[in-house]
């Protein structure tokens, strides 16, 4: 028995170690087929701290309650119980062998007992959760839909088997040691020790050989399996995740949201005024992604948290962030032999590898190299165009990913090539791009129309809004109010603009606008993929803002549109524009706290607040809108099921505002259905895009008789103004919210 156990264990160990090492080297080579990226190594101390915090604290996983706790014990057990594997090797040669020094040290034995037990219970919990949410039962509602089931179950049952072997070996060790009463060293395994106590010494020894061999063979059979399957993310993530988190986009450890990365070619930002002749615009081949992108694909564990939060997937569209990353991973590894041999295509599609280089490349890899990265099923594309254009860039996937995959950046990189080189994108968006280029706004309205709301406000209230540099000196301005295209030109959004301006006037804030000098920030153009147009609009706006605020004490800007807020605050620094930017809800909350705005009039009703993605997830502004509503008398707040970090998109982001929604349920309808389940009187938000999308859906529901006629969709600023305004006469009752 002992000889068989030794031979089988050592052979399995050698084969498993060799195959796993070979696979690790192969993964490294595949990752390095990506483009260079020198931005991933700054602040190494902070990056190391981020890895430690995210792993030991399980900061993402623990948002999922029992799943996070169970996974923590599994993850910690995987690494901390490696000494039990060393012990098993010793037991092959001497059944009573223990680790030198610490083998009989009580704290180590108790630690092994506790972590071994909790790891086993943790993986059993995860298995049950997976079984209860099988795609065959839950369909799209299962976050495991599309994951490679056998790989996940193999990994989970491997860990379960190892955990059981650890506990059985502990029981056998106690029996061999003659433990015949409860002993703290056998805190959990004593019942097993008691069960084994009646066995003969020779039987106990043989059982130790057997279970030590099983523990070793299960462990290294796993190593053999992952060695044969280098793209097995559900297994390899436990090693690659550390690197993926260390090399994440943000040096301070934040998620890859807010700004998009500048467009690069060969790892160097493209100078759009004088691009290099060989510059590659966007991503049209998997090797055009940076090495970090390919590391992202390799690290995906297929847990489906991104998928479960994705508004596109939840409304019947083909986009699943998980499946997109999995498709790119499988394509990268299938194409790797071709790339590693020196194969490749130039901008015209001509092969750059020589016949000699490609002679030994497998036919399957050569065939994979011919697949278009973006293409329909008929074209044998890796990513279907409908998948690419379904994304709202809401960032839910990035926010939830426990291994810091940067889905939105990769999607936008692929869009950039489609728009700028192939001119292949939804036709409706073309009108928006033309209007931005010719008129500086997505509706194509005349520049002078940007001041219509100013005239309307003066007519309604007598308040005059000054234009900086014309009606007021920059030195007198506390805040430059960036109105935005929607705020100036869209009728529903204009109500927010006028309400905010009236509130600033009431609070005595000295503010001004740019008026006709303001142009679109370029948010929609950039997220659609037209980086050139974004650069053009952005450079123009930065120049205008720098000139307007040159003599201002502080370059402070306030915006009512989260998309403008995000672009000016987070992306204009890439273009040389450095400004202090806040959202209007942040300023309004500050003015209330200072006593400059006092909500006194009650606004009666049940209200639910919709978090705009570019205010919430992308910029972590969650409290100010809610605190404002808390101060308004009469309002009763109730959160929708999906809110704050897990808020659900309105469907307008990522330039989807300008595209038709032809597949599945409309995203704004899904969100409004969730709001209506609370039977509210008011749905509030803090974004003009959200206001339009939610209003459209609510109006449709009213026409169907599915929503109360008095249900209103308003911006938080409108609610506050309604409460701050002078009290109405008693006979008129409470001031109604202006919808």
């Amino acid at each position: 028995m002992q000889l068989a156990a030794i031979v089988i264990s050592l052979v399995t160990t050698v084969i498993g170690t060799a195959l796993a090492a070979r696979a690790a080297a192969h993964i490294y080579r595949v990752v390095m087929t990506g483009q260079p990226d020198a931005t991933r190594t700054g602040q190494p101390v902070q990056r190391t701290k981020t890895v430690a915090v995210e792993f030991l604290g399980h900061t993402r996983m623990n948002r999922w309650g029992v799943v996070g706790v169970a996974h923590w014990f599994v993850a910690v057990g995987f690494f901390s119980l490696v000494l039990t594997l060393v012990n098993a090797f010793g037991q092959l040669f001497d059944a009573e062998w223990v680790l030198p020094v610490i083998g009989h040290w009580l704290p180590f034995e108790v630690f092994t007992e506790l972590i071994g037990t909790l790891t086993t219970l943790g993986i059993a919990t995860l298995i049950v959760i997976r079984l209860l949410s099988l795609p065959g039962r839950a369909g799209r509602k299962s976050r495991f839909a599309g994951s490679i089931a056998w790989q996940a179950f193999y990994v989970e049952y491997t860990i379960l088997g190892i955990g059981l072997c650890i506990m059985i070996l502990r029981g056998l060790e106690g029996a061999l040691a003659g433990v015949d009463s409860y002993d703290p060293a056998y805190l959990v395994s004593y019942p097993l020790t008691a069960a084994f106590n009646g066995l003969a010494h020779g039987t106990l020894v043989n059982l130790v050989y057997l279970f030590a061999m099983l523990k070793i063979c299960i462990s290294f059979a796993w190593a053999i399996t992952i060695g044969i399957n280098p793209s097995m993310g559900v297994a390899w993530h436990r090693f690659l995740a550390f690197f993926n988190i260390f090399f994440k986009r943000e040096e301070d450890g934040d998620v890859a949201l807010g700004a998009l990365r500048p467009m690069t070619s060969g790892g160097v930002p493209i100078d759009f005024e004088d691009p290099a002749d060989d510059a590659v615009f966007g991503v049209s081949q998997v090797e055009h992604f940076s090495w970090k992108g390919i590391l992202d694909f390799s690290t995906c564990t297929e847990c489906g948290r991104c998928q479960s939060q994705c508004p596109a997937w939840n409304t019947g569209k083909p986009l699943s962030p998980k499946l997109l990353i999995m498709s790119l991973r499988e394509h990268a590894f299938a194409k790797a032999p071709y790339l590693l041999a020196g194969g490749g295509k130039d901008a015209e599609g001509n092969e750059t590898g020589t016949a000699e280089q490609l002679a030994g490349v497998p036919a399957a890899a050569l065939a994979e190299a011919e697949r278009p990265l973006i293409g329909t099923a008929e074209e044998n594309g890796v990513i279907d165009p409908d998948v690419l254009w379904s994304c709202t860039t809401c960032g839910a996937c990035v926010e939830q990913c426990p291994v810091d995959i940067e889905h939105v950046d990769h999607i936008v990189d692929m869009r950039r090539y489609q728009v700028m080189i192939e001119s292949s994108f939804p036709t409706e968006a073309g009108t928006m791009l033309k209007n931005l280029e010719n008129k500086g706004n997505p509706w194509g309205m005349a520049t002078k129309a940007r001041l219509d709301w100013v005239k309307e406000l003066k007519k309604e209230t007598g308040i005059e809004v000054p234009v900086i540099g014309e009606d007021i000196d920059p030195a007198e301005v506390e805040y430059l109010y960036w109105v935005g295209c929607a705020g100036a030109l869209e009728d529903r959004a204009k109500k927010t603009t006028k309400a905010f301006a009236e509130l600033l006037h009431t609070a005595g804030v000295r503010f001004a606008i740019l008026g006709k000098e303001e142009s679109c920030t370029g948010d929609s153009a950039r997220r659609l993929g037209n980086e050139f147009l974004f650069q053009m609009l952005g450079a123009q706006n930065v120049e205008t803002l720098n000139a307007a605020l040159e003599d201002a004490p502080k370059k402070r800007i306030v915006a009512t549109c989260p998309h403008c807020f995000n672009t000016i605050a987070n992306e204009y620094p890439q273009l040389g524009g450095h400004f202090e930017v806040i959202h209007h809800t942040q300023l309004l909350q500050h003015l209330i706290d200072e006593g400059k705005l006092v909500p006194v009039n009650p606004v009666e009703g049940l209200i639910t607040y919709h978090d705009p993605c570019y205010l919430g997830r992308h910029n972590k502004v969650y409290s100010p809108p809610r605190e404002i509503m808390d101060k308004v008398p009469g309002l009763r707040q109730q959160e929708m099921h999906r809110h704050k970090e897990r808020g659900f998109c309105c469907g307008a982001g990522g330039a989807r505002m300008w595209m038709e929604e032809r597949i599945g349920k409309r995203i704004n309808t899904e969100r409004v259905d969730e709001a209506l389940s609370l039977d509210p009187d008011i749905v509030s938000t803090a974004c003009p895009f959200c206001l339009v999308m939610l209003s459209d859906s609510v109006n449709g529901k009213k026409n169907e008789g599915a929503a109360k006629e008095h249900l209103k969709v308003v911006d938080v600023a409108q609610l506050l103004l309604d409460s701050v305004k002078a009290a109405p006469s008693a006979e008129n009752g409470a001031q109604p919210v202006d919808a």
Side-chain angles (χ1 to χ4, degrees):
M1 179 67 205
Q2 182 182 24
L3 180 61
I6 291 172
V7 171
I8 293 171
S9 297
L10 292 182
V11 169
T12 306
T13 300
V14 170
I15 295 173
T17 303
L19 288 176
R22 186 186 69 169
H26 180 66
I27 291 170
Y28 175 80
R29 290 195 298 272
V30 173
V31 167
M32 296 315 293
T33 60
Q35 298 300 303
D37 185 349
T39 67
R40 302 288 180 166
T41 54
Q43 297 189 30
V45 174
Q46 176 59 46
R47 288 180 180 275
T48 303
K49 180 182 175 183
T50 298
V51 173
V53 168
E54 288 201 22
F55 175 67
L56 295 176
H58 256 46
T59 49
R60 303 288 180 77
M61 294 291 295
N62 283 336
R63 296 176 184 175
W64 292 74
V66 66
V67 176
V69 175
H71 190 276
W72 188 89
F73 283 112
V74 172
V76 169
F78 179 83
F79 292 102
S80 64
L81 294 175
V82 69
L83 289 178
T84 64
L85 184 60
V86 176
N87 200 74
F89 278 106
Q91 288 171 321
L92 290 175
F93 298 91
D94 178 357
E96 297 186 49
W97 189 86
V98 295
L99 293 167
V101 183
I102 63 171
H104 286 308
W105 185 41
L106 182 60
F108 173 72
E109 290 191 288
V110 171
F111 174 83
T112 302
E113 290 270 316
L114 288 175
I115 295 298
T117 302
L118 291 170
T119 296
T120 306
L121 293 175
I123 198 63
T125 301
L126 297 181
I127 289 171
V128 170
I129 289 171
R130 187 179 292 273
L131 289 172
L132 290 175
S133 187
L134 289 174
R137 299 175 191 165
R140 274 185 174 242
K141 293 296 181 184
S142 169
R143 59 186 176 88
F144 303 117
S147 299
I148 304 174
W150 78 262
Q151 294 184 353
F153 280 119
Y154 176 76
V155 169
E156 289 173 343
Y157 285 114
T158 291
I159 297 169
L160 180 64
I162 292 171
L164 292 174
C165 285
I166 290 173
M167 299 313 297
I168 291 171
L169 283 169
R170 289 291 298 159
L172 290 168
E173 289 164 15
L176 280 172
V179 176
D180 56 5
S181 62
Y182 178 77
D183 188 322
Y186 298 91
L187 185 66
V188 181
S189 63
Y190 177 71
L192 289 171
T193 295
F196 292 135
N197 269 338
L199 298 177
H201 182 271
T203 303
L204 290 173
V205 168
N206 280 328
L207 284 173
V208 169
Y209 296 151
L210 173 64
F211 281 98
M213 178 189 72
L214 281 175
K215 180 173 175 4
I216 292 167
C217 287
I218 291 172
S219 299
F220 285 95
W222 178 80
I224 291 170
T225 304
I226 69 170
I228 296 170
N229 297 281
S231 64
M232 191 174 173
V234 70
W236 280 104
H237 86 277
R238 64 192 51 217
F239 305 113
L240 299 179
F242 296 105
F243 298 100
N244 212 52
I245 295 169
F246 181 88
F247 294 120
K248 66 193 298 185
R249 191 180 82 179
E250 303 300 330
E251 293 178 346
D252 62 1
D254 203 358
V255 291
L257 294 173
L260 286 173
R261 284 168 53 84
M263 194 166 166
T264 61
S265 177
V268 179
I270 295 173
D271 180 356
F272 280 88
E273 292 185 1
D274 184 25
D277 292 338
D278 59 350
V280 176
F281 291 81
V283 168
S284 64
Q285 303 288 336
V286 72
E287 63 269 25
H288 293 166
F289 287 107
S290 73
W291 60 263
K292 174 58 170 63
I294 299 179
L295 180 59
D296 270 359
F297 311 153
S298 306
T299 307
C300 177
T301 185
E302 303 174 27
C303 68
R305 283 168 181 78
C306 58
Q307 179 174 285
S308 70
Q309 302 297 298
C310 177
W313 181 258
N314 277 280
T315 54
K317 295 167 182 61
L319 169 63
S320 155
K322 176 187 73 177
L323 298 180
L324 178 137
I325 295 297
M326 287 171 61
S327 296
L328 291 170
R329 178 189 68 201
E330 298 307 318
H331 175 60
F333 277 87
K335 188 177 180 179
Y338 163 80
L339 295 173
L340 293 171
K345 301 286 177 66
D346 60 20
E348 285 73 40
N350 300 313
E351 179 58 58
T352 58
T354 64
E356 291 78 11
Q357 287 176 309
L358 303 180
V361 176
L366 292 172
E368 195 72 25
E370 296 302 317
R371 296 181 68 191
L373 189 66
I374 306 297
T376 62
E378 291 77 15
E379 296 166 332
N380 197 27
V382 178
I383 304 297
D384 190 277
D386 284 334
V387 169
L388 189 65
W389 298 111
S390 292
C391 180
T392 66
T393 68
C394 70
C397 49
V398 179
E399 179 71 39
Q400 293 298 329
C401 181
V403 293
D404 284 301
I405 293 171
E406 299 161 8
H407 313 73
V408 172
D409 285 351
H410 303 322
I411 288 171
V412 172
D413 275 339
M414 289 186 284
R415 284 182 171 189
R416 284 166 167 168
Y417 179 84
Q418 293 300 303
V419 172
M420 300 183 68
I421 303 301
E422 296 291 333
S423 294
S424 176
F425 51 89
T427 53
E428 320 89 71
T431 303
M432 178 269 292
L433 292 176
K434 274 184 191 172
N435 289 336
L436 286 182
E437 193 168 349
N438 297 328
K439 297 290 186 178
N441 69 79
W443 287 279
M445 296 175 70
T447 303
K448 63 181 181 180
R450 286 185 177 273
L451 289 171
D452 286 352
W453 73 271
V454 176
K455 299 170 188 171
E456 293 168 14
L457 183 64
K458 183 177 180 182
K459 185 177 179 181
E460 294 165 9
T461 65
I463 296 172
E464 295 190 13
V465 177
V467 176
I468 196 166
E470 293 181 16
D471 307 314
I472 189 171
D473 189 86
E476 301 175 43
V477 174
E478 290 180 78
Y479 290 95
L480 173 64
Y481 175 22
W482 184 275
V483 180
C485 300
L489 303 171
E490 207 283 328
D491 287 340
R492 286 164 288 189
K494 281 160 72 173
K495 293 178 181 178
T496 303
T497 304
K498 289 185 281 187
F500 181 57
E502 190 171 347
L503 286 166
L504 292 182
H505 177 80
T506 302
V509 176
R510 295 191 304 276
F511 73 100
I513 62 172
L514 286 174
K516 291 185 287 187
E517 294 299 310
E518 190 177 292
S519 185
C520 180
T521 58
D523 163 83
S524 290
R526 189 173 218 196
R527 276 147 188 82
L528 182 74
N530 195 329
E531 182 72 8
F532 177 77
L533 182 54
F534 164 75
Q535 295 271 341
M536 184 180 77
L537 291 167
Q540 174 187 323
N541 283 328
V542 167
E543 184 179 351
T544 300
L545 287 168
N546 280 333
L549 297 173
E550 186 177 6
D551 297 323
K554 291 184 179 178
K555 294 185 177 183
R556 293 195 296 195
I557 299 170
V558 60
T560 42
C561 176
H563 297 265
C564 298
F565 165 59
N566 178 69
T567 302
I568 299 171
N570 299 324
E571 297 188 332
Y572 279 6
Q574 298 172 7
L575 306 175
H578 300 275
F579 311 102
E580 180 185 333
V581 191
I582 62 171
H583 188 251
H584 75 291
T585 56
Q586 294 173 300
L587 180 53
L588 292 176
Q589 182 208 356
H590 175 67
L591 294 173
I592 292 173
D593 291 344
E594 285 192 331
K596 294 182 178 179
L597 291 174
V598 183
V600 290
N601 299 322
V603 180
E604 300 292 345
L606 177 67
I607 188 167
T608 189
Y609 175 72
H610 163 80
D611 285 285
C613 300
Y614 274 82
L615 182 63
R617 260 191 302 270
H618 281 273
N619 286 284
K620 306 298 180 283
V621 179
Y622 296 111
S623 297
R626 290 173 169 83
E627 292 184 21
I628 292 169
M629 290 184 289
D630 277 340
K631 299 291 173 58
V632 176
L635 284 179
R636 291 171 289 120
Q637 287 193 59
Q638 187 169 346
E639 296 283 10
M640 285 183 263
H641 175 67
R642 294 176 286 204
H643 64 279
K644 293 189 176 178
E645 289 88 354
R646 293 199 193 181
F648 196 78
C649 185
C650 75
R656 288 295 321 174
M657 178 85 170
W658 320 106
M659 301 181 226
E660 291 297 328
E661 202 168 339
R662 298 186 177 91
I663 304 173
K665 184 178 181 180
R666 293 183 67 87
I667 293 173
N668 58 337
T669 300
E670 171 76 5
R671 186 54 161 167
V672 165
D673 282 344
E674 184 174 1
L676 292 179
S677 69
L678 304 176
D679 194 27
D681 301 297
I682 305 167
V683 176
S684 66
T685 188
C687 169
F689 283 13
C690 296
L691 191 71
V692 170
M693 299 297 282
L694 298 178
S695 296
D696 283 348
S697 186
V698 164
N699 290 337
K701 293 292 181 181
K702 287 180 179 179
N703 292 336
E704 298 167 7
K708 297 183 292 194
E709 278 302 319
H710 69 267
L711 175 62
K712 296 176 173 25
V713 181
V714 296
D715 189 274
V716 172
Q718 293 170 263
L719 289 168
L720 181 59
L721 176 63
D722 202 62
S723 187
V724 166
K725 273 184 175 179
S729 60
E731 62 188 41
N732 290 334
Q735 179 77 22
V737 175
D738 179 15

